[in-house]
Amino acid sequence: MASYRIPGPLQGLFDNDIDQGTLCRSLSPLPGPHILTTGYHCLFAEVSAGRSSLSGTSLQSDTNPAKELALSGDGLKLLKDIETLRLKPYDDQTGKEINAWVAGATVGYGHLIKAAEWNLYKNGITEFTASTLFGLDLTPFVTAVRSRITSSLEQHQFDALVMLAFNIGAGANGFADSSVVKMINDPTVKTNYPNLEAAWKAWNKSQGKVLKGLENRRACEWVVFSQGVYKKW
C-alpha cells in the first residue's frame, strides 16, 4: 500500500533484530527512457500454462537454491494488485494527485519519483511505462532474496519473500538482517519470536504504530509463503 512508503533506502547497520516498523524502500531508476532488458527478464519468470490464477494456488513440491529462482508470474501479478496502478503522480501520504513534486511523489505501481525525475513523470505515464518502472524497482529486492537466503525454497516461498522485502526494504534495517531471514536460514536460531509466522507478521508498524493495511499485507504474504495461495485480502 503506497501510503506507507517513503523515498530512498535508509542507511546504517543494526546488530539487533530489526522488526519494529515497515516502510517500503524503492530504488528509482535514473531519468531517461526505460526499456525492458535481458537483465530485467532474468529476474522474473514467465507465466506458464500450468500456473494458477490469482485466486488459485501455485504449490510446487520441488525446492531450489534461492539464488536460482526468479519471481513468478503469479507473484508479479499479486504484487501489482497490492500496489495498485496510478497513471498520474500523487502524494503517497494523502493519496491525492499532485502537480508539483513533494517528498512522497509517486506514480505507476508505487514508484517513488525523485526530484530529478519529476519532469519525466509530472504529466503522467502509460501502463507500459508503469510496468517497466515496476520491474526496475523490483530488481534490488529480488536480488536481496537471492543473496540473503541460503536455504532452498519452493517457488511460492521465494515469491512471498520478494513481496516482503519490497515492502520493508532490502537493507540491513529491513529484510537483510530480519528475524525472518535468520529463521529461514537456520530454523534453530534464537530470536525474539516463537516462530517464523510471528517474526513475519511483526512487520506491521509504521512510525511505531500498528496499521491495518500492513497487517493485511503481512497476512497475505504469509498465506503465499505457507500455502501457495496467491490472493489479495
Side-chain angles (χ1 to χ4, degrees):
M1 298 182 68
S3 59
Y4 311 125
R5 301 160 68 88
I6 63 174
L10 294 180
Q11 303 296 323
L13 298 176
F14 297 82
D15 294 326
N16 299 321
D17 296 337
I18 308 299
D19 298 303
Q20 301 305 313
T22 304
L23 292 170
C24 181
R25 314 290 194 266
S26 286
L27 299 179
S28 299
L30 295 175
H34 300 287
I35 59 174
L36 295 177
T37 66
T38 303
Y40 166 81
H41 278 301
C42 76
L43 294 176
F44 306 97
E46 298 296 330
V47 182
S48 63
R51 295 190 63 77
S52 68
S53 66
L54 289 179
S55 60
T57 62
S58 297
L59 283 172
Q60 298 181 10
S61 58
D62 295 334
T63 62
N64 292 283
K67 64 182 179 181
E68 297 178 4
L69 291 170
L71 184 66
S72 75
D74 281 346
L76 185 61
K77 287 180 182 179
L78 180 55
L79 191 49
K80 277 186 170 182
D81 192 31
I82 291 171
E83 290 297 321
T84 70
L85 175 62
R86 298 278 299 268
L87 298 180
K88 295 289 186 179
Y90 64 97
D91 183 347
D92 72 346
Q93 297 301 308
T94 65
K96 296 180 179 180
E97 289 189 9
I98 55 176
N99 53 26
W101 185 83
V102 296
T106 306
V107 74
Y109 293 101
H111 174 76
L112 289 162
I113 306 171
K114 292 180 178 179
E117 297 177 317
W118 177 247
N119 285 336
L120 286 174
Y121 306 129
K122 65 181 181 180
N123 295 320
I125 61 175
T126 65
E127 186 171 349
F128 176 81
T129 299
S131 292
T132 302
L133 287 173
F134 190 54
L136 292 168
D137 287 344
L138 272 172
T139 298
F141 304 102
V142 174
T143 300
V145 177
R146 285 176 165 178
S147 63
R148 299 301 296 188
I149 299 297
T150 58
S151 59
S152 293
L153 299 169
E154 295 185 44
Q155 180 64 60
H156 61 96
Q157 295 173 326
F158 182 87
D159 290 347
L161 287 165
V162 172
M163 292 167 64
L164 176 67
F166 183 75
N167 189 241
I168 69 176
N173 57 322
F175 180 80
D177 287 344
S178 69
S179 293
V180 170
V181 170
K182 295 173 184 176
M183 296 173 82
I184 290 176
N185 287 340
D186 179 7
T188 67
V189 71
K190 300 297 183 181
T191 72
N192 295 328
Y193 304 97
N195 52 50
L196 181 59
E197 180 177 2
W200 195 298
K201 293 183 177 179
W203 289 92
N204 62 355
K205 305 176 187 71
S206 177
Q207 298 180 351
K209 296 181 179 180
V210 174
L211 298 179
K212 182 62 176 176
L214 294 179
E215 288 184 320
N216 289 341
R217 191 160 184 152
R218 298 292 86 82
C220 173
E221 295 160 356
W222 181 251
V223 169
V224 175
F225 183 88
S226 61
Q227 302 177 35
V229 175
Y230 293 73
K231 187 176 182 180
K232 187 179 177 181
W233 56 94

